[in-house]
Amino acid sequence: MSDWQVKYKSSLKDRGTEGILKLREGILLFVPNDPTSDSKLKVLTPNIKSQKYTKEGSKKPAWLNLSNKQGDSHIFEFQNYQDMHACRALITKALAKCEEEQPKKPAAVLTSAEQLSIADLELRFKVLRENIELQRLHKEFVETKVLTEDEFWATRKKLLGKDSIRKSKQQVGLKSMMVSGIKPSTDGRTNRVTFNLTSEIIFQIFAEKPAVRQAFINYVPSKMTEKDFWTKYFRAEYLYSTKNTAVAAAEAAEDEELAVFLKPDEILAQEARQKIRRVDPTLDMEADQGDDYTHLMDHGIQRDGTMDVVEPQNGQFRRSLLQDLNRHAAVVLEGRNIDVDSENTRSVAEALARVKQVSKADGETTKDANQERLARMSRLAEMEDLQAPQNFPLAPLSIKDPRDYFESQQGNVVNEPRGAGTLKRNVHEAYGSLKESILEIRTKGLRDPLIKPEVAFEVFRSLTQTISTAKNIIGKNPRESFLDRLPKSTRDEVLHHWTSIQELLKHFWSSYPITTTYLHTKVGKLKDAMSNSYSQLEAMKESVQSELRHQLSLLVRPMQQALDAAFQHYDADLQRRTAKSARGSAGEANGSV
Amino acid sequence: MATVASKLYSDDVSLLVLLLDTNPLFWSNTSTTFSQFLSHVLAFLNAVLGLNQLNQVVVIATGYCSCDYIYDSSLTLSGNSESGRTGMPALFASLLEKLEDFIVKDEELIKEQEHDERIASSLLSGSLSMALCYIQRVFRSGHLHPQPRILCLQGSPDGPEQYVAVMNSIFSAQRLMVPIDSCYIGTQNSAFLQQASYITSGVHHAPKQLDGLFQFLTTIFATDLHTRSFVQLPKPVGVDFRASCFCHKKTIDMGYVCSVCLSIFCEHHKKCSTCGSVFGQSKLDGASTVSEKKRKAPDS
């Protein structure tokens, strides 16, 4: 039955209009009894966010409060609680069904063509805003439909991806400060000792003292409340800090739970025993003997409790600072290996226990591991002079002949072939004349005059001319380049042409060889854009002043050469394709005949 | 004595390493004789030594198949060398003697060698390496040393088989911050020397008239490194940066480059000869062979 007699109230104060509430497939419909009133309501079931209802025991009437995603709430007053509960159950069922369907739809939308998320678009806008050059390129190409958005950004993934790398989370380690050992605040006046307990401290206590963790799991909440547990724990801590072993022994005898905290940690002891069993017997301990500097003068901790005299039966109620420090250090080095939210103490305890169980299972030595250890032990313990001679298989050295490298450098040298005989004769003659020259200069001395004044003057003149013309062309400052002498607009234009031609050429050359029609159209568009650039370069060359024209054409030449090479390739490829298709169709005609 | 020495060490103390081209095949084909050339050069060396008391000069002869140190001004004792021959300043008697010995040795070496048909180039890479070794030793002698530079007097054309070695020497010189000046007296253009001077920020000049060589040398190449910051020296307008390919030693503009060791080849190879890495087939070649295969089928 999905029709109920209800009163619809838009708010609590409203008196309510009577009507019928119908629940159909995905729609909740309220039709008032009075056809003239206009509080007809149609609510789509997916829109319902939550429903609240009044309790049966209270004296209030049976109300059902539905709030939808826009924030409005609709209150329906039912005739009795039974109806209200039935309606509520049906709505819950419908809601559950909706939730199932919902996730499927968004997935279908995304698996079609690459949908950009809002975040991606924002990132792209940000990058474009920051880099004006990139913005200009983007405007020139993407908005004139020469390149699509995806192609433009395909090569610039590095720019877009930088942020995502930063978001990757870093694992947080444990503090090396012993928060579990912080001294409490003591109030002498009221004789109270106050311990502070945060979730961090709880985590540390559970990690360092597995016996306490085990006790927590066992006792709370069956035997005592959490507060009592911690009170007992801190009582034990206080007793430790007073170092009064007699009192500790007495209290332990009385209170069984307290005794758990005061005893040495059995679980830890077991773990330690296992670790000792697994130590490699071939470990060389000799190095460690020299490391023991604590017994030298001026070293070590003065009062670490080892020298204090203790009665044997109360020995178990002591704990030394070294033990605490070592345990804390071991825990910190293991790291934080659970991710449980630390609000619920019990869940933390259970998670830690589970982790410990898993690691224990892994650590148990299997039969193979044992065999391996035995083999290793026998290998290390062997005596060298009693061994048989071992003939290991030798791999032959492969040393490459260094002459290969040098000879390959002098490989096939292209040269005019000369007759061997003539070469030798020439060489001898040459050497002979050289030796004569040296003899001549030895006997005659340096030339006198060394240099004629006219010649020297000529040299000076030509040098001055060279240097001054070079200065005009290149500029006074050797660091200054030709670009600085151009007017600013031309310079910007030249630089922009450079980057845009680079971009076009990059996309052009990456589209070859053409395999799909998409690439074909892309290449066509790129070619048009490139011819456009070419004509713009020509125009720019004309427009500039005559004295700068030569330099500018030199500057622009590599760009034009690159474009020419691209055009050539395009034409050659086009020719090849038409030839191929012509031949192909001709071949088919032949074949069919 | 140390303080006196450091006081005398002004900014313009220089060590000039001169690489002299003694390639007989070149010298037998030029209008200027070797003796005229030598007189210009020796006078220039004298001038350099006269500019500063602490200047040093080292001469390395670049032969056809060997190179050798000819002269070191810091080692030569003054005075007692045999000045029996007239007309020659005693300072350079030993230089000429050693030069003659070197040429004789070079001749011996070429007799032993199989005459491979290579361009008549001199061993520039060898002499550059020797110069750099000498300079490195000077650097390590202490922190009071003259500022070294290399002057390359070359007339022979470039030997493309020396491309790799010459480039390596140029980059070492750049690292050491030693400028390589070059004076090219031959007929063709030398790409190696242009690149050397450009990369190491030295001066390159190719004088057209060789009877004024002394004037060129003293005007341009005698300036020490400190003075160059305020003296205008001729700059080349363009530099020929073409490389030569590693397989045939031709100078090329466009070629294939190995992405592992950056060696340059003029044609497609299966494997790089320098580092041994295997090249994959290029996309363009692959497409054309496939389409060729397709074309053949309907015809047959």
XYZ file of all heavy atoms in Angstrom, chain A residues 201-269:
563
model
N 49.484 10.056 22.466
C 50.104 9.348 23.589
C 49.574 7.933 23.663
O 50.323 6.974 23.897
C 49.846 10.108 24.904
C 50.513 11.483 24.840
C 50.369 9.324 26.092
C 50.290 12.314 26.062
N 48.274 7.791 23.421
C 47.681 6.450 23.456
C 48.341 5.572 22.408
O 48.699 4.416 22.651
C 46.162 6.535 23.218
C 45.487 7.216 24.389
C 45.583 5.146 23.004
C 44.000 7.355 24.215
N 48.519 6.139 21.218
C 49.138 5.366 20.135
C 50.539 4.922 20.526
O 50.937 3.780 20.313
C 49.184 6.217 18.867
C 49.777 5.494 17.696
C 49.051 4.542 17.005
C 51.082 5.738 17.310
C 49.589 3.884 15.945
C 51.632 5.065 16.251
C 50.890 4.141 15.561
N 51.285 5.822 21.126
C 52.647 5.463 21.519
C 52.658 4.386 22.589
O 53.458 3.454 22.537
C 53.372 6.701 22.060
C 54.273 7.303 21.049
C 55.429 8.058 21.650
O 55.682 7.973 22.846
N 56.116 8.785 20.814
N 51.752 4.536 23.531
C 51.729 3.539 24.614
C 51.399 2.171 24.051
O 52.048 1.172 24.373
C 50.702 3.947 25.693
C 51.183 5.207 26.414
C 50.503 2.821 26.684
C 50.167 5.751 27.373
N 50.424 2.125 23.158
C 50.049 0.833 22.581
C 51.161 0.254 21.733
O 51.371 -0.954 21.667
C 48.785 0.974 21.740
C 47.530 1.039 22.550
C 46.374 1.506 21.993
C 47.517 0.626 23.868
C 45.215 1.557 22.728
C 46.369 0.675 24.614
C 45.199 1.147 24.048
N 51.908 1.137 21.034
C 52.972 0.629 20.165
C 54.144 0.127 20.983
O 54.788 -0.856 20.623
C 53.409 1.720 19.204
N 54.443 0.808 22.091
C 55.645 0.436 22.841
C 55.398 -0.683 23.825
O 56.312 -1.433 24.141
C 56.171 1.660 23.598
C 56.799 2.668 22.663
C 57.224 3.909 23.408
O 57.437 3.797 24.629
O 57.328 4.959 22.778
N 54.208 -0.766 24.325
C 53.953 -1.762 25.371
C 52.845 -2.697 24.944
O 51.672 -2.424 25.182
C 53.561 -1.054 26.663
C 54.661 -0.117 27.110
C 54.340 0.575 28.399
C 55.464 1.553 28.681
N 55.076 2.635 29.503
N 53.186 -3.755 24.286
C 52.145 -4.665 23.811
C 51.331 -5.313 24.933
O 50.171 -5.671 24.729
C 52.918 -5.726 23.008
C 54.334 -5.534 23.333
C 54.511 -4.177 23.860
N 51.895 -5.417 26.117
C 51.127 -6.004 27.225
C 49.966 -5.100 27.604
O 48.842 -5.554 27.864
C 52.036 -6.227 28.430
N 50.212 -3.808 27.594
C 49.148 -2.849 27.930
C 48.047 -2.922 26.881
O 46.849 -2.906 27.193
C 49.741 -1.416 27.999
C 48.652 -0.403 28.185
C 50.747 -1.333 29.108
N 48.476 -3.072 25.628
C 47.500 -3.156 24.541
C 46.637 -4.386 24.710
O 45.416 -4.345 24.576
C 48.256 -3.179 23.229
C 47.356 -3.161 22.030
C 48.155 -3.265 20.763
N 48.750 -4.589 20.633
C 49.984 -4.805 20.267
N 50.795 -3.799 20.031
N 50.452 -6.028 20.170
N 47.305 -5.472 25.005
C 46.572 -6.720 25.185
C 45.607 -6.611 26.352
O 44.459 -7.038 26.280
C 47.582 -7.861 25.438
C 47.005 -9.239 25.310
C 46.419 -9.472 23.945
O 46.973 -9.039 22.938
N 45.293 -10.114 23.902
N 46.077 -5.967 27.418
C 45.212 -5.785 28.583
C 44.014 -4.932 28.230
O 42.885 -5.221 28.648
C 46.028 -5.139 29.700
N 44.238 -3.899 27.421
C 43.131 -3.040 27.022
C 42.077 -3.834 26.285
O 40.875 -3.732 26.548
C 43.673 -1.903 26.142
C 42.630 -0.889 25.788
C 42.349 0.162 26.647
C 41.930 -0.985 24.598
C 41.396 1.104 26.311
C 40.973 -0.040 24.272
C 40.703 0.994 25.129
N 42.558 -4.653 25.311
C 41.599 -5.431 24.527
C 40.839 -6.394 25.424
O 39.643 -6.629 25.248
C 42.334 -6.175 23.399
C 42.910 -5.165 22.384
C 41.416 -7.159 22.705
C 43.676 -5.775 21.275
N 41.554 -6.942 26.417
C 40.890 -7.925 27.272
C 39.932 -7.287 28.267
O 38.842 -7.787 28.506
C 41.942 -8.729 28.044
C 42.754 -9.600 27.099
O 42.317 -9.871 25.990
N 43.918 -10.017 27.547
N 40.328 -6.176 28.861
C 39.571 -5.661 29.991
C 38.486 -4.675 29.614
O 37.494 -4.548 30.305
C 40.514 -4.978 30.993
C 41.481 -5.927 31.649
C 42.661 -5.460 32.199
C 41.216 -7.288 31.729
C 43.547 -6.318 32.823
C 42.099 -8.154 32.331
C 43.269 -7.664 32.881
O 44.144 -8.506 33.489
N 38.725 -3.894 28.602
C 37.762 -2.839 28.259
C 36.915 -3.319 27.096
O 37.461 -3.790 26.110
C 38.495 -1.544 27.866
C 37.529 -0.490 27.374
C 39.319 -1.037 29.016
N 35.621 -3.196 27.026
C 34.788 -2.641 28.114
C 34.189 -3.710 29.027
O 33.269 -3.434 29.758
C 33.675 -1.959 27.324
C 33.519 -2.833 26.111
C 34.842 -3.433 25.810
N 34.754 -4.928 28.945
C 34.108 -5.998 29.723
C 34.344 -5.852 31.221
O 33.419 -5.922 32.011
C 34.588 -7.358 29.238
O 36.006 -7.350 29.189
N 35.598 -5.616 31.597
C 35.857 -5.598 33.035
C 35.804 -4.202 33.645
O 35.453 -4.024 34.778
C 37.238 -6.212 33.306
C 37.230 -7.682 33.561
C 38.494 -8.068 34.271
C 38.555 -9.575 34.451
N 39.864 -9.994 34.927
N 36.267 -3.222 32.891
C 36.271 -1.865 33.438
C 36.122 -0.863 32.314
O 36.326 -1.194 31.167
C 37.583 -1.611 34.190
C 38.822 -1.843 33.332
S 40.298 -1.284 34.116
C 40.856 -2.780 34.843
N 35.811 0.340 32.683
C 35.684 1.365 31.639
C 37.065 1.859 31.247
O 38.060 1.613 31.926
C 34.863 2.558 32.142
O 35.592 3.160 33.216
C 33.494 2.124 32.589
N 37.071 2.601 30.140
C 38.360 3.102 29.631
C 39.001 4.009 30.660
O 40.216 3.967 30.885
C 38.107 3.849 28.328
C 39.360 4.026 27.513
C 39.059 4.632 26.159
O 38.013 4.278 25.572
O 39.859 5.451 25.709
N 38.200 4.836 31.310
C 38.744 5.782 32.278
C 39.418 5.047 33.429
O 40.521 5.401 33.848
C 37.606 6.663 32.812
C 38.098 7.804 33.639
C 37.180 9.017 33.526
C 37.757 10.118 34.403
N 36.962 10.369 35.582
N 38.765 4.001 33.897
C 39.360 3.220 34.988
C 40.656 2.599 34.552
O 41.642 2.576 35.300
C 38.392 2.106 35.430
C 37.183 2.683 36.127
O 37.307 3.817 36.621
O 36.143 1.989 36.154
N 40.631 2.092 33.293
C 41.851 1.453 32.757
C 43.013 2.417 32.808
O 44.097 2.097 33.309
C 41.564 0.992 31.326
C 42.721 0.347 30.654
C 42.997 -1.002 30.868
C 43.554 1.073 29.819
C 44.056 -1.606 30.242
C 44.622 0.461 29.200
C 44.876 -0.866 29.405
N 42.763 3.601 32.309
C 43.879 4.553 32.255
C 44.292 5.006 33.633
O 45.472 5.257 33.889
C 43.499 5.755 31.376
C 43.445 5.399 29.922
C 42.372 5.477 29.106
C 44.497 4.854 29.148
N 42.679 5.048 27.855
C 43.987 4.653 27.848
C 45.827 4.515 29.404
C 44.753 4.130 26.808
C 46.595 3.994 28.368
C 46.060 3.794 27.087
N 43.312 5.103 34.526
C 43.671 5.494 35.884
C 44.620 4.470 36.491
O 45.644 4.824 37.095
C 42.412 5.596 36.764
O 41.386 6.207 36.017
C 42.686 6.359 38.040
N 44.276 3.188 36.306
C 45.142 2.139 36.835
C 46.526 2.212 36.207
O 47.551 2.061 36.863
C 44.534 0.763 36.539
C 43.376 0.382 37.394
C 43.558 -1.010 37.962
C 42.575 -1.228 39.063
N 41.336 -1.863 38.713
N 46.536 2.442 34.864
C 47.815 2.490 34.155
C 48.694 3.578 34.709
O 49.892 3.400 34.968
C 47.554 2.688 32.657
C 48.804 2.936 31.874
C 49.656 1.882 31.549
C 49.162 4.219 31.491
C 50.814 2.103 30.849
C 50.329 4.443 30.790
C 51.145 3.396 30.472
O 52.298 3.612 29.794
N 48.089 4.736 34.942
C 48.902 5.848 35.416
C 49.289 5.678 36.871
O 50.315 6.204 37.313
C 48.173 7.173 35.176
C 48.247 7.576 33.731
C 47.111 7.799 32.990
C 49.487 7.707 33.113
C 47.189 8.153 31.669
C 49.570 8.050 31.792
C 48.420 8.276 31.067
N 48.479 4.928 37.601
C 48.899 4.600 38.966
C 50.174 3.780 38.915
O 51.114 4.017 39.673
C 47.765 3.817 39.646
C 48.125 3.337 41.021
C 47.358 4.048 42.091
N 47.989 3.748 43.379
C 48.624 4.639 44.118
N 48.670 5.882 43.738
N 49.210 4.274 45.245
N 50.189 2.825 37.988
C 51.396 2.012 37.845
C 52.587 2.868 37.447
O 53.692 2.703 37.974
C 51.145 0.919 36.804
N 52.375 3.801 36.515
C 53.460 4.691 36.087
C 53.984 5.498 37.261
O 55.184 5.699 37.433
C 52.958 5.647 35.012
C 52.744 5.010 33.671
C 54.050 4.603 33.033
O 54.966 5.422 32.979
O 54.140 3.437 32.625
N 53.043 5.965 38.072
C 53.448 6.765 39.217
C 54.287 5.942 40.173
O 55.296 6.415 40.707
C 52.193 7.315 39.888
C 52.491 8.112 41.123
C 53.117 9.349 41.040
C 52.178 7.612 42.383
C 53.414 10.066 42.157
C 52.462 8.336 43.506
C 53.075 9.563 43.396
O 53.367 10.270 44.512
N 53.853 4.684 40.345
C 54.597 3.823 41.253
C 56.004 3.577 40.727
O 56.968 3.560 41.481
C 53.867 2.486 41.428
C 52.609 2.559 42.283
C 51.859 1.253 42.249
C 52.979 2.920 43.718
N 56.119 3.411 39.420
C 57.454 3.244 38.815
C 58.309 4.456 39.072
O 59.500 4.366 39.372
C 57.337 3.067 37.294
C 57.195 1.655 36.836
C 56.183 1.290 35.979
C 58.093 0.678 37.251
C 56.053 -0.001 35.540
C 57.974 -0.618 36.819
C 56.933 -0.950 35.962
O 56.820 -2.234 35.531
N 57.710 5.609 38.915
C 58.524 6.825 39.010
C 59.010 7.055 40.433
O 60.070 7.635 40.640
C 57.737 8.042 38.522
O 56.659 8.276 39.402
N 58.262 6.573 41.393
C 58.732 6.751 42.770
C 59.839 5.773 43.121
O 60.524 5.928 44.117
C 57.595 6.541 43.779
O 57.017 5.258 43.521
C 56.545 7.618 43.623
N 59.977 4.749 42.302
C 61.040 3.743 42.490
C 60.909 3.046 43.838
O 61.888 2.590 44.419
C 62.436 4.376 42.387
C 62.759 4.849 40.982
C 64.211 5.055 40.807
C 64.633 5.359 39.408
N 63.825 6.181 38.565
N 59.705 2.981 44.290
C 59.464 2.352 45.578
C 58.961 0.951 45.318
O 57.774 0.721 45.117
C 58.427 3.176 46.348
C 58.460 2.844 47.801
O 58.935 1.771 48.201
N 57.981 3.751 48.617
N 59.877 0.038 45.292
C 59.500 -1.302 44.869
C 58.631 -2.019 45.887
O 57.772 -2.806 45.524
C 60.756 -2.149 44.624
O 61.594 -2.043 45.776
C 61.472 -1.693 43.390
N 58.806 -1.695 47.142
C 57.997 -2.378 48.169
C 56.526 -2.045 47.994
O 55.648 -2.923 47.995
C 58.493 -1.959 49.552
N 56.253 -0.733 47.819
C 54.857 -0.320 47.640
C 54.290 -0.951 46.384
O 53.153 -1.416 46.331
C 54.779 1.225 47.548
C 53.389 1.659 47.206
C 55.235 1.825 48.850
N 55.131 -0.954 45.327
C 54.672 -1.528 44.068
C 54.303 -2.990 44.241
O 53.258 -3.444 43.769
C 55.758 -1.376 43.008
N 55.152 -3.719 44.929
C 54.881 -5.140 45.146
C 53.590 -5.322 45.919
O 52.751 -6.172 45.595
C 56.051 -5.775 45.875
N 53.412 -4.470 46.917
C 52.212 -4.591 47.748
C 50.961 -4.349 46.916
O 50.004 -5.121 46.966
C 52.298 -3.592 48.905
N 50.980 -3.278 46.142
C 49.779 -2.959 45.361
C 49.518 -4.016 44.298
O 48.377 -4.326 43.993
C 49.957 -1.583 44.702
C 49.983 -0.462 45.704
C 49.190 0.746 45.240
O 48.490 0.639 44.212
O 49.272 1.784 45.903
N 50.601 -4.538 43.731
C 50.421 -5.561 42.720
C 49.760 -6.795 43.303
O 48.923 -7.445 42.671
C 51.769 -5.916 42.106
N 50.147 -7.100 44.506
C 49.558 -8.279 45.135
C 48.065 -8.083 45.332
O 47.276 -9.014 45.212
C 50.261 -8.546 46.462
N 47.665 -6.825 45.633
C 46.247 -6.581 45.894
C 45.438 -6.589 44.615
O 44.402 -7.231 44.525
C 46.068 -5.212 46.541
C 46.396 -5.194 48.002
C 46.295 -3.777 48.527
O 45.695 -2.927 47.811
O 46.807 -3.529 49.603
N 45.905 -5.803 43.634
C 45.084 -5.531 42.462
C 45.648 -6.304 41.278
O 46.771 -6.085 40.851
C 45.085 -4.022 42.178
C 44.041 -3.660 41.164
O 43.437 -4.593 40.552
O 43.824 -2.471 40.966
N 44.829 -7.190 40.777
C 45.323 -8.064 39.705
C 45.573 -7.285 38.421
O 46.559 -7.494 37.722
C 44.288 -9.165 39.519
C 44.386 -9.905 38.236
C 43.112 -10.692 38.033
O 42.535 -11.171 39.036
O 42.670 -10.801 36.873
N 44.681 -6.354 38.130
C 44.873 -5.591 36.897
C 46.084 -4.679 36.998
O 46.838 -4.518 36.043
C 43.643 -4.750 36.593
C 42.513 -5.554 36.016
C 41.362 -5.611 36.985
O 41.239 -4.681 37.783
O 40.600 -6.583 36.940
N 46.262 -4.092 38.134
C 47.431 -3.244 38.321
C 48.709 -4.050 38.154
O 49.699 -3.565 37.618
C 47.371 -2.624 39.728
C 48.261 -1.405 39.931
C 47.869 -0.320 38.972
C 48.143 -0.924 41.355
N 48.610 -5.302 38.618
C 49.795 -6.164 38.499
C 50.201 -6.324 37.043
O 51.392 -6.432 36.731
C 49.503 -7.525 39.119
N 49.229 -6.347 36.169
C 49.558 -6.482 34.735
C 50.466 -5.351 34.283
O 51.419 -5.549 33.536
C 48.250 -6.495 33.906
C 48.549 -6.361 32.437
C 47.484 -7.767 34.191
N 50.171 -4.156 34.805
C 50.980 -3.012 34.363
C 52.347 -3.002 35.011
O 53.287 -2.453 34.484
C 50.268 -1.703 34.699
C 48.962 -1.569 33.987
C 47.845 -1.161 34.670
C 48.854 -1.877 32.647
C 46.641 -1.038 34.003
C 47.661 -1.759 31.981
C 46.534 -1.337 32.670
N 52.407 -3.607 36.182
C 53.664 -3.525 36.897
C 54.625 -4.630 36.511
O 55.814 -4.501 36.670
C 53.399 -3.570 38.414
C 52.724 -2.298 38.939
C 52.306 -2.470 40.381
C 53.690 -1.138 38.819
N 54.092 -5.701 35.967
C 54.981 -6.795 35.603
C 55.786 -6.411 34.362
O 55.350 -5.586 33.579
C 54.140 -8.032 35.263
C 53.882 -8.954 36.399
C 53.353 -10.263 35.919
C 52.255 -10.031 34.903
N 51.402 -11.192 34.739
N 56.912 -7.069 34.167
C 57.596 -6.844 32.884
C 56.765 -7.417 31.742
O 56.041 -8.377 31.917
C 58.927 -7.599 33.047
C 58.798 -8.410 34.258
C 57.703 -7.878 35.092
N 56.922 -6.831 30.622
C 56.084 -7.106 29.472
C 56.405 -8.480 28.887
O 57.459 -8.682 28.295
C 56.340 -6.012 28.423
C 55.193 -5.871 27.476
O 54.510 -6.884 27.241
O 54.996 -4.770 26.978
N 55.484 -9.421 29.033
C 55.738 -10.771 28.555
C 55.788 -10.859 27.044
O 56.569 -11.590 26.470
C 54.628 -11.722 29.083
C 55.062 -12.589 30.238
C 56.345 -13.331 29.956
O 56.447 -14.067 28.939
O 57.300 -13.140 30.729
N 54.888 -10.105 26.402
C 54.830 -10.178 24.934
C 56.138 -9.690 24.330
O 56.682 -10.277 23.401
C 53.651 -9.341 24.414
C 52.354 -9.839 25.047
C 53.577 -9.399 22.907
C 51.140 -9.092 24.611
N 56.630 -8.605 24.908
C 57.901 -8.066 24.412
C 59.025 -9.064 24.599
O 59.866 -9.266 23.724
C 58.261 -6.796 25.188
C 57.958 -5.476 24.521
C 58.500 -4.362 25.356
C 58.565 -5.423 23.145
N 58.988 -9.705 25.767
C 60.060 -10.662 26.050
C 60.026 -11.790 25.041
O 61.064 -12.248 24.556
C 59.903 -11.177 27.474
